[in-house]
Amino acid sequence: MAVHRSGPLKQKNKAHKNGRHRSRGSAQRDGKGRVAVKVQSKKVRKELSRVDQRHRANQLRKQKKEAVLEEKRHLGSKDGPPHQVLLVPLHAGVSLGQALQLLRSSDPQSVPAGERAGAPGFVLLCPQMKRRWFFTAAQPGELHTVLDLAKVADSILFILDPVEGWDSTGDYCLSCLFAQGLPTYSLAIQGVGSLLPKKQADAKKKLSKVLEKRFPGDKLLHLDTPQDAVLLLRQLANQKQRHLAFRDRRSYMFAYTADFVPSQESSSVGTLKLSGYVRGQTLNVNRLLHIVGHGDFQIKQIDAPADPFPLNPRVIKASKGTDMAMQIDAADADGASEMEEDIKVLVKADPARQESLQSEVVPDPMEGEQTWPTEEELNEAKALLKEKAKVVKKVPKGTSSYQAEWIVDEEGSSSGEEEEEEEDSEAEDFMEEEDSEAEGSEEECDTVTLGESVRDDQYDEKIDKEAEEQMLEKYKQERLDEMFPDEVDTPRDVAARVRFQKYRGLKSFRTSPWDPKENLPQDYARIFQFQDFSRTRKRIFKEVEEEEPEGAEVGWYVTLHVAGVPASVGESFRQGAPLVAFSLLPHEQKMSVLNMVVRRHPGNEEPVKSKEEMIFHCGFRRFRASPLYSQHTAADKHKAERFLRPDVALVVTVYAPITFPPASVLLFKQKPDGKHSLIATGSLLSVNPDRMVIKRLVLSGHPFKILTKMAVVRYMFFNREDVLWFKPVELRTKWGRRGHIKEPLGTHGHMKCTFDGQLKSQDTVLMNLYKRVFPKWTYDPYVPEPRPWSNEETSPGLEVDME
């Protein structure tokens, strides 16, 4: 009997699922050992039991705890660098000299070393605590000094007033330090014992409420007696160290001494010998060195002199018959060591491996050029252009061929005769009525009679009339830009097709294509660009973590021979300015385009226009530059902003040396009197020259006659040729309508337009034009110390009650 066998085309139905949960075991049995493709491509991870997971967590916790303890033990020990502490008094009533004197006499067994030449501080050796300290001090009004010392300080000690805590200058200093990044800090109160016993408790309660805003949960210490100073030192020694991102992967040094040796060719440039302790990472002699506020330089060699501040000074016995011994302090030990043996040369730079100081690309003017075409090729090109013009060109009705050729030549010549002016020279035409009202208000103010007062006369003498007029004009421009964003009046003396010849229309700002490599300025030939910046950054950071250390290790006292340094660097050190040096990572000396995300400082309301010169604190760098402002969006095109907006985060674009993030950013503006005011704070976003900053320009017109979906618009253009030139650009209205120019009417700029709906008589017709803008090349690495803020003046960015 024949048995029927089902063929390969038999229908197979799915098994019925009765709603029960499928366990992992049943899934493995059904799979019969089969593994998904995604699982096979990954590493096989062994699943640990609960006991093993708990054991592994305990091990990781123990390792982290041991790492923190090892860092505490190493900092300030005999093998590590001295614990550098920065003292910052936040109130004018705080005595900085008294605080330093208490720290000097905190331990009777301590050995305070003498002040070094040019270094604003002293070294304190505590053999009993097995610690050595280096105390520096800076007033909060000395802005750059505080920020530079905070870049390299291990701890910051803020000294507060027992009643008010801090004044306006101290609050301004705290804002800058918080924006740059705070290392480990402590809070100390000075002068509590001078208050009455009844007022001490009230003062502490008020001060604790004030501290909750800036330092929530931090403990307050006293600094009135030597016993308080000892407790303070123990608190600083046992604190967990905070890490600043921009200095963890780089080696840095605070200069204790600096000697300038002029070169044989010129006395203005020479070799600077910096002596100090290596911190952060191992210092490589072949890497470049950045001196904050002065620029990048090469290191010729590294010497290893004797440590001037040994924790346990050597003891020399006089003779066998006497029990007397002589202890040599740090200064004598230096002299003895120099007499006994010469300074050892640790390592010299290798010219083959040393990084170059080249920061810009030397552009080749012949790059991309072709040979001059022959006459036959020129004639063929002209003929081809004529054929294309005959096919593509559209002319108004009733225009002869001669007139059409005339229009083409006129447009072509007009587009090439004049070029658009620079961004700063593009001043908008404001309404004459507002100018007349402003002038009338000024005249009224001049005719008002005020009461005679000596203080009013002195107040008027300090006012700069020209600066007041310029500030008033900026306020007017910022207000108009806020009310009518990007709107510009069409000029009547210049054709619109000439004035706006570099602008283009876009169907959609978000989706329309725009090549980032077209029409680049000449400055882009001088900069460097990464093919993939994030990948390069990861590779360099990985090399820093995995490479074997070569050179001066952390904690060594070394002398760096820095070549090609101007004499002004040594002169500033002799005048008391601190010298802070950072070792650069690869490529960080090269110029590129930096993009930074910043937000306006809440207390500063001064208008800041695009391309105004600003002072940047970007990580460990300080420089001057003229930035562009743009919106912080995720698109490929970013709209430029004419002013720094106070309510949103913006992106600052500027020419500057490459810096690998993370890095903090502070923007300052220099006032006419030499002081610097904090404008904005933020962080470094990326190094990307292809980030397109697009300036938008809006031309406005008014409907003259409206008939259903068609309207006659005027006052957008003032001649027929401009209407024909901008005919392909799409129109929009403030009430959401979209349309196109259909044809011009007459010779005075009237045009017939069609829209997707009927217009209202009070609506306004707009045309958006776009152009890519670039920052100015005004990079300057030298930024002098500003005039310090005094407590009698109002610090920038702070609101003061004048009542």
Side-chain angles (χ1 to χ4, degrees):
M1 180 178 177
V3 180
H4 175 71
R5 297 179 183 277
S6 59
L9 302 178
K10 181 184 178 182
Q11 180 179 356
K12 295 180 181 180
N13 298 327
K14 289 184 177 180
H16 176 66
K17 295 181 179 180
N18 53 8
R20 292 183 300 175
H21 177 67
R22 193 182 186 194
S23 64
R24 185 173 62 179
S26 62
Q28 291 177 354
R29 285 192 299 271
D30 295 342
K32 296 181 181 180
R34 289 191 295 268
V35 184
V37 179
K38 293 183 178 179
V39 178
Q40 288 179 350
S41 62
K42 297 180 180 180
K43 292 183 179 179
V44 180
R45 296 182 179 179
K46 185 179 180 180
E47 296 183 1
L48 301 177
S49 62
R50 289 187 177 181
V51 178
D52 294 337
Q53 290 178 3
R54 194 176 297 117
H55 180 62
R56 184 179 62 176
N58 291 333
Q59 286 181 334
L60 293 176
R61 193 181 304 112
K62 186 178 180 181
Q63 290 176 2
K64 291 180 180 179
K65 187 176 181 180
E66 289 178 354
V68 171
L69 292 176
E70 180 62 26
E71 185 180 10
K72 289 181 182 179
R73 298 190 191 103
H74 184 69
L75 183 62
S77 64
K78 63 177 182 178
D79 298 327
H83 191 143
Q84 186 165 341
V85 182
L86 171 62
L87 274 70
V88 181
L90 297 180
H91 196 276
V94 173
S95 175
L96 184 60
Q98 182 181 356
L100 292 173
Q101 186 62 33
L102 286 173
L103 292 172
R104 280 175 181 266
S105 59
S106 58
D107 190 353
Q109 297 184 2
S110 62
V111 183
E115 296 186 4
R116 308 295 289 175
F122 65 93
V123 177
L124 185 66
L125 306 177
C126 299
Q128 184 179 5
M129 296 177 61
K130 298 182 180 180
R131 294 277 177 176
R132 50 180 178 173
W133 311 81
F134 176 59
F135 291 95
T136 58
Q139 294 292 337
E142 300 172 356
L143 186 61
H144 288 338
T145 302
V146 174
L147 293 178
D148 289 349
L149 291 175
K151 288 181 175 71
V152 296
D154 298 314
S155 301
I156 298 181
L157 178 60
F158 294 112
I159 306 177
L160 310 176
D161 183 76
V163 179
E164 299 180 2
W166 54 74
D167 52 14
S168 59
T169 306
D171 194 8
Y172 174 55
C173 178
L174 284 176
S175 300
C176 298
L177 288 174
F178 270 95
Q180 178 178 268
L182 270 182
T184 308
Y185 64 89
S186 297
L187 306 175
I189 310 175
Q190 188 185 74
V192 179
S194 61
L195 299 177
L196 296 176
K198 296 182 179 179
K199 293 185 178 181
Q200 290 183 5
D202 296 338
K204 289 182 180 179
K205 289 182 181 179
K206 292 180 180 179
L207 189 58
S208 61
K209 291 182 180 179
V210 175
L211 291 176
E212 280 297 323
K213 299 179 181 179
R214 288 277 192 181
F215 309 98
D218 288 331
K219 184 180 179 181
L220 283 173
L221 301 174
H222 295 269
L223 189 58
D224 291 327
T225 60
Q227 292 77 13
D228 296 337
V230 173
L231 293 177
L232 183 59
L233 289 179
R234 295 188 180 277
Q235 169 70 14
L236 292 173
N238 296 326
Q239 275 185 323
K240 180 182 178 181
Q241 292 295 313
R242 291 186 176 185
H243 296 275
L244 297 181
F246 64 85
R247 73 182 189 185
D248 282 345
R249 295 182 177 90
R250 301 172 178 88
S251 58
Y252 58 95
M253 187 179 72
F254 176 82
Y256 286 72
T257 61
D259 297 328
F260 179 77
V261 180
S263 62
Q264 298 179 358
E265 293 81 6
S266 175
S267 60
S268 60
V269 180
T271 301
L272 186 67
K273 297 181 181 180
L274 298 178
S275 299
Y277 292 93
V278 179
R279 301 171 183 269
Q281 298 288 336
T282 302
L283 181 60
N284 192 344
V285 69
N286 295 317
R287 295 276 177 85
L288 297 180
L289 190 72
H290 175 78
I291 301 178
V292 178
H294 299 282
D296 304 333
F297 307 96
Q298 286 182 334
I299 306 175
K300 293 196 299 184
Q301 72 179 35
I302 301 178
D303 297 341
D307 193 343
F309 309 112
L311 186 59
N312 297 315
R314 291 185 304 156
V315 177
I316 301 176
K317 294 184 179 180
S319 61
K320 296 182 180 180
T322 59
D323 296 330
M324 298 179 61
M326 179 177 61
Q327 186 178 17
I328 301 178
D329 58 359
D332 296 336
D334 279 351
S337 62
E338 290 179 2
M339 291 174 61
E340 291 174 1
E341 56 182 354
D342 297 332
I343 297 177
K344 297 179 181 179
V345 177
L346 188 62
V347 63
K348 289 187 177 182
D350 185 3
R353 300 174 55 190
Q354 194 173 26
E355 294 188 6
S356 174
L357 280 173
Q358 182 184 2
S359 61
E360 302 177 14
V361 179
V362 180
D364 186 5
M366 299 302 294
E367 185 178 0
E369 293 291 333
Q370 299 179 354
T371 58
W372 188 256
T374 62
E375 293 184 1
E376 295 179 358
E377 293 175 346
L378 290 174
N379 294 332
E380 290 178 1
K382 289 181 180 179
L384 184 61
L385 287 174
K386 287 183 179 180
E387 290 179 2
K388 289 184 177 180
K390 290 179 182 178
V391 175
V392 178
K393 184 63 181 176
K394 295 181 180 181
V395 296
K397 294 181 180 179
T399 305
S400 63
S401 60
Y402 172 76
Q403 292 174 338
E405 291 293 332
W406 181 258
I407 291 175
V408 172
D409 291 341
E410 183 185 6
E411 291 177 355
S413 62
S414 63
S415 62
E417 286 177 356
E418 299 180 8
E419 293 186 355
E420 188 184 2
E421 300 177 353
E422 289 286 79
E423 180 78 18
D424 292 342
S425 63
E426 294 180 353
E428 292 82 357
D429 298 331
F430 299 104
M431 293 181 290
E432 297 180 358
E433 296 179 359
E434 294 191 359
D435 292 341
S436 61
E437 290 177 4
E439 293 175 0
S441 62
E442 292 176 1
E443 293 176 358
E444 292 177 0
C445 293
D446 292 337
T447 57
V448 173
T449 58
L450 300 175
E452 297 180 356
S453 174
V454 178
R455 292 185 60 187
D456 291 345
D457 296 340
Q458 295 176 352
Y459 182 80
D460 293 337
E461 291 175 358
K462 298 179 181 179
I463 293 180
D464 188 358
K465 293 184 179 180
E466 294 183 0
E468 288 288 318
E469 291 293 333
Q470 293 177 2
M471 189 61 63
L472 177 62
E473 188 67 23
K474 281 186 181 180
Y475 275 113
K476 288 173 61 179
Q477 293 181 12
E478 185 181 26
R479 180 62 176 165
L480 284 174
D481 186 65
E482 184 179 355
M483 295 173 61
F484 308 100
D486 302 326
E487 288 194 31
V488 177
D489 292 338
T490 307
R492 306 194 62 176
D493 54 345
V494 181
R497 63 185 183 278
V498 177
R499 171 64 179 81
F500 308 122
Q501 60 184 342
K502 292 188 177 180
Y503 290 82
R504 68 180 69 177
L506 296 178
K507 178 70 175 178
S508 172
F509 183 79
R510 184 178 62 86
T511 60
S512 295
W514 194 312
D515 187 6
K517 300 297 184 182
E518 65 172 310
N519 296 331
L520 296 178
Q522 190 65 28
D523 291 336
Y524 263 52
R526 303 163 57 186
I527 64 174
F528 291 84
Q529 183 177 2
F530 295 100
Q531 187 174 4
D532 190 343
F533 176 72
S534 60
R535 185 176 61 185
T536 305
R537 173 177 169 271
K538 290 179 181 178
R539 177 179 59 81
I540 291 177
F541 285 177
K542 187 177 181 180
E543 290 176 357
V544 171
E545 294 175 358
E546 297 180 355
E547 70 178 359
E548 296 180 0
E550 295 181 359
E553 296 187 2
V554 178
W556 290 5
Y557 186 83
V558 297
T559 298
L560 307 181
H561 294 251
V562 188
V565 180
S568 59
V569 181
E571 184 64 27
S572 64
F573 182 80
R574 285 191 294 270
Q575 293 177 0
L579 279 185
V580 176
F582 279 82
S583 179
L584 298 181
L585 297 177
H587 310 298
E588 283 194 330
Q589 80 279 10
K590 300 174 182 177
M591 295 291 292
S592 187
V593 178
L594 270 63
N595 303 305
M596 316 167 189
V597 181
V598 300
R599 187 176 288 272
R600 188 72 179 265
H601 190 254
N604 195 298
E605 299 179 354
E606 180 182 354
V608 179
K609 199 173 182 180
S610 179
K611 292 191 178 180
E612 284 189 21
E613 188 181 66
M614 306 290 289
I615 297 169
F616 286 79
H617 284 251
C618 181
F620 56 89
R621 292 186 186 272
R622 184 171 72 238
F623 57 88
R624 294 174 180 269
S626 300
L628 281 179
Y629 306 122
S630 59
Q631 293 180 353
H632 184 32
T633 57
D636 60 340
K637 295 181 288 294
H638 311 273
K639 179 182 169 298
E641 293 289 348
R642 298 175 187 269
F643 292 88
L644 185 61
R645 301 293 181 186
D647 51 348
V648 294
L650 297 179
V651 176
V652 176
T653 304
V654 68
Y655 289 114
I658 295 170
T659 304
F660 292 105
S664 58
V665 174
L666 284 80
L667 267 69
F668 293 89
K669 185 177 180 182
Q670 185 170 358
K671 293 191 172 184
D673 55 0
K675 294 178 291 187
H676 293 174
S677 60
L678 181 62
I679 300 296
T681 59
S683 60
L684 181 61
L685 177 64
S686 64
V687 180
N688 184 17
D690 287 342
R691 189 181 188 275
M692 292 187 292
V693 181
I694 307 299
K695 178 186 175 184
R696 186 182 70 174
L697 189 143
V698 180
L699 303 179
S700 59
H702 304 278
F704 178 49
K705 295 179 181 179
I706 300 174
L707 181 62
T708 60
K709 295 184 179 181
M710 194 169 295
V712 178
V713 180
R714 59 180 178 179
Y715 301 149
M716 183 177 289
F717 303 108
F718 297 100
N719 57 70
R720 185 185 183 91
E721 289 76 13
D722 289 342
V723 177
L724 295 173
W725 181 270
F726 291 100
K727 186 177 179 181
V729 183
E730 187 181 16
L731 301 176
R732 67 177 182 89
T733 67
K734 289 189 175 181
W735 286 23
R737 298 297 180 188
R738 292 184 176 272
H740 287 87
I741 299 174
K742 187 175 182 181
E743 59 181 357
L745 297 176
T747 60
H748 295 286
H750 291 208
M751 54 187 181
K752 186 186 295 185
C753 306
T754 58
F755 296 91
D756 57 357
Q758 186 172 4
L759 261 66
K760 302 294 183 181
S761 59
Q762 61 270 28
D763 204 351
T764 304
V765 181
L766 305 175
M767 176 183 287
N768 293 339
L769 301 176
Y770 301 94
K771 182 188 72 169
R772 185 178 178 184
V773 291
F774 303 90
K776 285 185 175 181
W777 192 293
T778 58
Y779 171 77
D780 183 11
Y782 177 70
V783 181
E785 181 73 22
R787 190 172 75 84
W789 286 91
S790 62
N791 292 308
E792 299 176 357
E793 299 170 328
T794 303
S795 297
L798 300 174
E799 298 179 359
V800 179
D801 189 4
M802 300 304 292
E803 297 180 359

